[in-house]
Amino acid sequence: MKRLIAIVAAVAVVAVAAWFVVGRTTPSATPLAATVTTQPAEGESAIDISDVQEMQQGNPDAPVTMIEYASYTCPHCAAFNTGPYKQLKKDYIDTGKINFIYREVYFDGPGVWASLLARCAGPEKFFGITDLLYASQSNWANAGGRDPVAISAELKKIGRLAGMDGDKIEACMQDDEQAKKMVEWFKVNSAKDDITGTPSFVINGKTYSNMSYADLKETLDAAGAN
């Protein structure tokens, strides 16, 4: 547990006051704190992030690349994953019309632990675990009144459900060096792409805030994905 607390401390620089749920019929986004978007210029990182793997689906040679920036503890991101993303996958990812990349954003320690867990089994299981995390977000992210011990226990259940053994899960979730590397990777990328909220989308180099699936489809088609 002390290692988990250390990981919380490692990501304190990107913490926001709270994450929240807003019931709306139109898309919205969870804003990043000002400290998150004020980052060192690209290339100035003191931490080597060259081996951080991009998690992607679809056709890497497609004319359109879409990057989603999202946090596992962001309710709007969960709403996108359990809704529009399913249609996006059917219409554009599985058909090879786009190259889809998912990049984690970190608001808090639990979001980092979830990211470490999702990446634990490698790229083959990453998106499957991501689906599980978003589908059960309200359960694990609020476990025990947002108690770190309870949240950790719920995340480990998801890992076991995904077929990982306990030792592997423990090793991944307590890897504070990897946590620091992932946070630095997030900082560099979010500064480069001017990410100010989640979910955000970068389509062929242009950044967009959260939008309806109809608007997303129109944007993708205009970029050449039709």
Side-chain angles (χ1 to χ4, degrees):
M1 187 60 213
K2 291 181 179 179
R3 292 286 296 279
L4 289 177
I5 296 300
I7 290 177
V8 174
V11 300
V13 70
V14 299
V16 293
W19 70 83
F20 53 88
V21 178
V22 180
R24 298 177 181 175
T25 57
T26 56
S28 187
T30 301
L32 301 188
T35 53
V36 173
T37 55
T38 305
Q39 306 297 349
E42 188 176 1
E44 292 183 5
S45 173
I47 299 175
D48 182 10
I49 57 175
S50 61
D51 62 344
V52 176
Q53 186 171 3
E54 292 280 20
M55 295 300 177
Q56 52 190 342
Q57 295 177 306
N59 175 13
D61 298 319
V64 174
T65 293
M66 173 181 170
I67 305 171
E68 178 191 358
Y69 281 86
S71 166
Y72 288 120
T73 56
C74 157
H76 300 298
C77 302
F80 177 80
N81 180 269
T82 57
Y85 166 75
K86 306 302 183 187
Q87 194 65 41
L88 175 75
K89 189 172 186 298
K90 177 182 176 182
D91 293 345
Y92 292 94
I93 298 173
D94 291 346
T95 57
K97 292 181 178 180
I98 67 171
N99 179 32
F100 178 79
I101 297 172
Y102 181 95
R103 290 179 179 169
E104 300 97 304
V105 169
Y106 304 119
F107 288 142
D108 43 43
V112 178
W113 305 337
S115 175
L116 293 172
L117 178 69
R119 288 173 173 265
C120 191
E124 296 80 9
K125 290 191 175 182
F126 176 83
F127 285 98
I129 296 174
T130 290
D131 287 346
L132 291 174
L133 287 166
Y134 279 129
S136 60
Q137 182 194 82
S138 60
N139 179 41
W140 65 263
N142 297 300
R146 298 180 180 175
D147 173 66
V149 176
I151 291 172
S152 172
E154 291 301 319
L155 286 172
K156 290 173 185 177
K157 289 180 184 177
I158 294 173
R160 290 192 292 271
L161 183 63
M164 289 184 282
D165 64 56
D167 289 343
K168 185 176 181 64
I169 294 170
E170 288 285 349
C172 287
M173 289 183 61
Q174 296 191 32
D175 190 345
D176 53 347
E177 290 304 314
Q178 180 65 15
K180 292 174 184 177
K181 182 181 293 188
M182 292 303 305
V183 169
E184 185 68 13
W185 182 74
F186 148 67
K187 288 162 60 179
V188 171
N189 284 326
S190 63
K192 179 183 66 178
D193 288 330
D194 191 25
I195 303 302
T196 59
T198 57
S200 289
F201 313 113
V202 180
I203 299 174
N204 280 0
K206 184 176 180 179
T207 301
Y208 299 85
S209 58
N210 194 16
M211 64 182 87
S212 68
Y213 182 69
D215 289 340
L216 178 58
K217 186 177 188 303
E218 182 179 345
T219 303
L220 290 170
D221 288 348
N226 55 349

